[in-house]
Each structure stands twice: as structure tokens, then as C-alpha cells.
């Protein structure tokens, strides 16, 4: 795996499996990665795999990241708006 270890500070990088932990890796890079991490992500996973993670009901992305990736992947505004609203409600109830 060629991802920065700093992105996975809470996990032993040697125990991360690229196939088994795909969602975790994709979410972490979409949320915290830089351009080089994005490039590595694209080389490891298909665009369809990445989009599927973004479309999951409980994706672990903050509202800014979610909005950015929805627009970059051409996800319909109505779907993106629902996901953002759900994220805001989730943040409200965490207080």
C-alpha cells in the first residue's frame, strides 16, 4: 500500500488490507488526503469503487468533503443535498 501512514495514525498500517478495508481507506483519503494520496487512491481503486463509497448511506465524510466529492463525481444535487442534510442533523444530535 502506498498511502501515507499519517492518514492512518489510529491503525497499524501493516494490518490494513487493501481489499478488506477498501471503504476505510477510501473514506480516509477523501477526507484527509492530498493530491498525491488521491493519485494513489485512483491507481488502487476504480472510480466506480470510489463513487460507491461516497454514495453509501453512512459515509464518514465531513460536509465540506462530501459536497466537494459529490460535485466532482457528478452526483445529482438532490442526492448530495439529502446526504448533506443528514450529515447536519447527525452533527446536531452529537452536541
Amino acid at each position: 500500500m502506498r498511502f501515507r501512514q499519517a492518514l492512518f495514525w489510529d491503525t497499524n498500517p501493516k494490518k490494513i488490507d487493501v481489499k478488506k478495508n477498501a471503504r476505510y481507506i477510501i473514506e480516509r483519503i477523501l477526507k484527509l488526503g492530498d493530491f498525491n494520496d488521491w493519485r494513489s487512491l485512483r491507481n488502487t481503486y476504480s472510480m466506480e469503487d470510489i463513487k460507491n463509497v461516497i454514495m453509501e448511506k453512512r459515509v464518514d465524510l465531513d460536509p465540506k468533503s462530501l459536497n466537494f466529492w459529490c460535485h466532482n463525481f457528478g452526483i445529482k444535487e438532490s442526492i448530495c443535498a439529502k446526504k448533506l442534510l443528514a450529515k447536519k442533523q447527525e452533527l446536531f444530535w452529537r452536541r
Side-chain angles (χ1 to χ4, degrees):
M1 184 167 74
R2 296 180 182 225
F3 304 120
R4 283 186 300 137
Q5 288 185 353
L7 294 174
F8 304 98
W9 69 88
D10 57 346
T11 307
N12 181 348
K14 294 175 184 173
K15 292 187 177 188
I16 297 175
D17 183 272
V18 177
K19 291 188 183 205
K20 285 183 186 175
N21 306 115
R23 179 180 173 178
Y24 170 71
I25 295 167
I26 292 169
E27 284 178 345
R28 191 60 67 100
I29 290 175
L30 292 180
K31 189 175 178 180
L32 302 171
D34 60 18
F35 186 72
N36 290 327
D37 298 319
W38 166 246
R39 212 176 311 159
S40 296
L41 185 68
R42 279 192 6 231
N43 290 333
T44 306
Y45 301 102
S46 71
M47 295 299 270
E48 191 65 27
D49 290 338
I50 298 168
K51 185 175 181 178
N52 287 339
V53 169
I54 295 168
M55 295 294 294
E56 285 190 23
K57 187 172 184 163
R58 291 271 187 195
V59 67
D60 185 28
L61 293 175
D62 58 274
K64 261 188 194 177
S65 297
L66 182 60
N67 190 49
F68 177 82
W69 292 113
C70 280
H71 288 290
N72 276 289
F73 275 87
I75 297 169
K76 291 181 184 178
E77 277 191 48
S78 60
I79 294 170
C80 191
K82 280 182 188 177
K83 291 180 86 48
L84 287 169
L85 179 61
K87 202 45 108 166
K88 285 179 184 175
Q89 290 172 342
E90 182 182 313
L91 292 173
F92 173 79
W93 289 108
R94 281 190 190 171
R95 291 187 215 178

